[in-house]
């Protein structure tokens, strides 16, 4: 029997003792971090600690939760699948949920990306895309095309390969000796201080495109793939840039025979107001990585989709042309069933419309925030789809550890917000109500003022 959520398995003291003795958490200096909250259950946008405290999940639990927690239709789909088939190896076998999901993901791109390779997390989905781009050319005997081009400031995951194509940030500089070299192009947005200034913004876009062109001119013959996060660079600071960049990047990649790899792990599945962020550019990439919201934030699940052309580069009588990649839990039926249920929700409950409503709700509240007491400390606000961003100007007179004081301060006030340096962002479940958003923005303002005081 499962324990009743109202009767915690451990007392507060026991839970902390176990945590302190055994836990090792991601991106966490275990010696310096305060004790965690123990979450016992969740519902909609709310997390509940085992001691009964409620917390609004304004970041969708690290950007994965798109429909809210404990969603009845997702729960039902998961449970139904559980009683049918929990897992089977995905070589020599397939199953109904993988068959259905492959067809539906292909249809979501108008069949521009009809080939679907399943895996189980975002970093892996990206690495698979890198291997596809690289090996496509190797299979053709074009071994000179073995380099990758990336965008400055990008983030693609924490494995060795994805760190290599990501920015050499403080997160990853430790591992520098393990990483392979990549080419880098300038990011298509201006520094926060210039944003809102249309002239400077369009200059930045033009400069980024000129830089991309010149890198491709010089090194295009050696480059197999250009990887980027479409429309929003997430972990790099929630930087939003125009779809025009993607459109031009598509054209340049075609010109230099470079595969365009879209890392839609964060921006996919409705996050930016369209199902895929790339739709806003009205062109398609050659390869796309999806995870996070793909299985509604319920299960570790991912997919890498590709064009038929790329697939045909591996489809051969020569066994050496096989894509040598796989994971034990590839195409897990529970993950596939949840992803199919998530697609049902997009279709039947019009979640895409909700993402566009949310965009307007962010816009209103961000404007109010700029006009309020915190306004003087804000260097920029920005938004796209379900993502709202407040960038603070901390350089002048603040030296303390803002991010983590703010994070804890908000939690004490019942809201989960976890800034990236001076960048406070909201990535809530798409169905968050106006009232809940008011609470989140209110706590954001109050806590930022308290910490900055
Ligand atoms: C989160 C993220 C990843 C990594 O996904 P994991 O599932 O955490 O490995 C890759 N790319 C982008 C753009 C992300 O936001």
């Amino acid at each position: 029997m499962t324990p009743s959520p109202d009767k915690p398995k451990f007392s507060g003291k026991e839970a902390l003792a176990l945590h302190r003795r055994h836990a090792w958490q991601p991106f966490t200096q275990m010696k310096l971090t305060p004790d965690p909250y123990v979450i016992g259950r969740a519902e909609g946008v709310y997390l509940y600690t085992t001691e009964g405290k409620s917390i609004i999940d304004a970041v969708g639990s690290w950007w994965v939760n798109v429909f809210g927690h404990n969603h009845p239709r997702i729960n039902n789909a998961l449970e139904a699948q559980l009683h049918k088939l929990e897992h089977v190896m995905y070589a020599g076998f397939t199953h109904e949920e993988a068959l259905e999901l492959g067809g539906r993901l292909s249809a979501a791109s108008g069949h521009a990306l009809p080939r679907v390779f399943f895996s189980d997390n975002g970093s892996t989905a990206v690495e698979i895309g890198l291997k596809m781009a690289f090996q496509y050319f190797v299979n053709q005997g074009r071994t000179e095309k073995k380099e990758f081009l990336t965008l400055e400031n990008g983030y693609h995951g924490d494995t060795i390969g994805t760190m290599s194509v990501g920015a050499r940030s403080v997160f990853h500089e430790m591992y520098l000796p393990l990483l392979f070299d990549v080419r880098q192009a300038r990011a298509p947005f201006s520094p926060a201080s210039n944003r809102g200034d249309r002239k400077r913004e369009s200059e930045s876009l033009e400069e980024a495109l000129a830089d991309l062109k010149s890198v491709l001119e010089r090194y295009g013959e050696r480059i197999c793939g250009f990887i980027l996060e479409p429309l929003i660079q997430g972990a790099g600071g929630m930087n939003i840039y125009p779809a025009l960049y993607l459109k031009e990047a598509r054209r340049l990649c075609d010109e230099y025979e470079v595969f365009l790899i879209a890392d839609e792990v964060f921006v996919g599945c409705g996050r930016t107001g369209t199902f895929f962020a790339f739709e806003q550019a009205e062109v398609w990439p050659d390869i796309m990585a999806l995870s996070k919201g793909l299985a509604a934030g319920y299960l570790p699940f991912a997919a890498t989709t590709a064009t038929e052309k790329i697939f045909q580069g591996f489809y051969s009588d020569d066994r050496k042309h096989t894509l040598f990649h796989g994971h034990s839990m590839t195409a897990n039926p529970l993950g596939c069933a949840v992803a199919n249920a998530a697609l049902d929700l997009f279709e039947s409950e019009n979640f895409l419309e909700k993402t566009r409503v949310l965009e307007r709700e962010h816009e209103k509240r961000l404007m109010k925030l700029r006009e309020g007491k915190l306004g003087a400390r804000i260097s920029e606000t920005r938004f796209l789809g379900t993502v709202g961003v407040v960038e603070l100007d901390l350089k002048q007179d603040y030296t303390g550890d803002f991010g983590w004081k703010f994070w804890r301060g908000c939690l004490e006030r019942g809201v989960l917000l976890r800034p990236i340096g001076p960048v406070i962002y909201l990535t809530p479940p798409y169905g968050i109500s106006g009232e809940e958003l008011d609470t989140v923005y209110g706590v954001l303002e109050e806590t930022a003022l308290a910490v900055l005081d």
Side-chain angles (χ1 to χ4, degrees):
M1 235 189 68
T2 47
S4 147
D6 301 318
K7 276 203 207 109
K9 212 171 194 175
F10 305 108
S11 71
K13 238 172 124 182
E14 286 167 339
L16 284 185
L18 284 167
H19 182 79
R20 285 182 189 151
R21 184 154 177 79
H22 300 295
W24 193 346
Q25 295 185 291
F27 285 115
T28 302
Q29 175 44 266
M30 297 301 287
K31 185 166 183 185
L32 301 178
T33 196
D35 291 328
Y37 289 88
V38 184
I39 301 301
R41 64 188 182 90
E43 173 106 37
V45 301
Y46 289 95
L47 306 171
Y48 298 97
T49 71
T50 47
E51 299 184 333
K53 184 180 171 63
S54 67
I55 297 168
I56 298 183
D57 187 357
V59 299
S61 283
W62 259 345
W63 323 348
V64 299
N65 191 295
V66 293
F67 306 117
H69 297 273
N70 203 6
H71 194 286
R73 289 186 58 183
I74 302 282
N75 290 8
N76 287 345
L78 179 56
E79 200 177 324
Q81 184 58 37
L82 187 59
H83 295 293
K84 266 168 74 180
L85 174 67
E86 87 298 340
H87 189 64
V88 62
M89 63 189 288
Y90 191 61
F93 297 100
T94 186
H95 52 84
E96 289 173 314
E97 296 300 320
L99 291 167
E100 180 182 339
L101 184 57
R104 291 177 81 173
L105 284 178
S106 170
S109 70
H111 304 291
L113 299 162
R115 294 289 170 174
V116 181
F117 195 104
F118 293 113
S119 61
D120 44 33
N121 66 78
S123 305
T124 298
V126 170
E127 291 234 10
I128 292 164
L130 299 177
K131 285 172 77 170
M132 285 174 175
F134 169 81
Q135 194 184 337
Y136 174 90
F137 289 109
V138 175
N139 285 356
Q140 291 198 334
R142 296 181 60 187
T143 48
E144 78 286 358
K145 277 180 103 65
K146 58 178 180 230
E147 293 184 7
F148 288 97
L149 174 60
T150 66
L151 267 190
E152 165 191 24
N153 203 47
Y155 173 82
H156 301 290
D158 292 333
T159 57
I160 306 284
T162 56
M163 284 194 292
S164 297
V165 293
R168 302 291 190 259
S169 66
V170 279
F171 292 166
H172 293 154
E173 68 188 9
M174 167 70 61
Y175 307 104
L176 219 53
L178 304 180
L179 309 187
F180 56 79
D181 287 332
V182 296
R183 305 277 170 198
Q184 198 180 71
R186 274 177 68 169
F189 52 83
S190 42
S193 53
N194 288 345
R195 283 187 227 145
D197 177 337
R198 297 222 171 238
K199 186 160 164 280
R200 300 293 285 272
E201 279 180 0
S202 85
E203 279 167 8
S204 300
L205 178 63
E206 275 162 34
E207 281 164 15
L209 284 169
D211 189 55
L212 177 60
K213 191 170 166 55
S214 96
V215 174
L216 285 170
E217 252 163 27
R218 249 176 302 160
Y219 307 111
E221 280 179 10
R222 288 185 250 162
I223 294 172
C224 60
F226 174 27
I227 181 161
L228 47 70
E229 295 157 89
L231 300 185
I232 309 179
Q233 286 191 320
M238 295 291 166
N239 294 298
I240 300 171
Y241 64 87
L244 185 58
Y245 182 84
L246 301 176
K247 203 169 187 151
E248 288 297 303
R250 172 73 279 173
R251 198 178 53 74
L252 288 167
C253 282
D254 285 342
E255 192 177 333
Y256 292 93
E257 254 194 300
V258 166
F259 288 127
L260 185 51
I261 306 170
D263 177 353
E264 295 228 5
V265 170
F266 166 51
V267 294
C269 305
R271 192 50 80 187
T272 67
T274 43
F275 189 73
F276 298 121
F278 238 95
E279 287 171 49
Q280 296 181 38
E282 297 173 324
V283 289
W284 291 105
D286 300 287
I287 294 170
M288 188 188 281
L290 295 165
S291 187
K292 293 202 166 102
L294 181 60
Y298 266 55
L299 291 166
F301 190 70
T304 310
T305 62
T307 59
E308 187 62 22
K309 174 181 166 178
I310 291 180
F311 179 79
Q312 288 300 325
F314 291 76
Y315 193 75
S316 159
D317 292 321
D318 186 343
R319 286 185 189 276
K320 283 207 296 292
H321 290 186
T322 305
L323 177 58
F324 292 106
H325 195 100
H327 295 279
S328 315
M329 296 302 283
T330 287
N332 173 253
L334 298 172
C336 290
V338 167
N340 279 320
L343 291 172
D344 287 341
L345 280 182
F346 274 108
E347 285 162 17
S348 66
E349 294 190 13
N350 213 358
F351 266 94
L352 280 180
E353 180 53 31
K354 288 187 181 143
T355 67
R356 293 189 274 265
V357 171
L358 191 46
E359 178 173 286
R360 293 192 290 273
E361 299 286 323
H362 278 313
E363 182 178 17
K364 272 192 281 185
R365 287 170 181 78
L366 288 169
M367 192 186 290
K368 214 175 118 205
L369 208 57
R370 279 202 315 270
E371 288 163 357
K373 275 196 215 143
L374 189 62
R377 310 301 300 267
I378 295 175
S379 58
E380 197 202 29
T381 58
R382 48 189 184 269
F383 57 89
L384 181 67
T386 68
V387 183
V389 184
V390 181
E391 185 157 344
L392 297 179
D393 182 7
L394 295 182
K395 278 148 266 153
Q396 307 297 321
D397 50 356
Y398 186 80
T399 50
D401 203 347
F402 173 81
W404 91 291
K405 283 186 191 154
F406 176 81
W407 166 54
R408 296 300 292 188
C410 288
L411 282 174
E412 279 159 24
R413 294 172 176 87
V415 169
L416 168 52
L417 285 171
R418 212 179 141 103
I420 304 167
V423 178
I424 303 169
Y425 64 86
L426 283 77
T427 49
Y430 305 166
I432 190 169
S433 72
E435 211 173 302
E436 288 155 351
L437 271 182
D438 284 338
T439 304
V440 174
Y441 275 97
V443 165
L444 185 165
E445 184 178 37
E446 181 191 331
T447 311
L449 286 169
V451 174
L452 290 172
D453 222 8

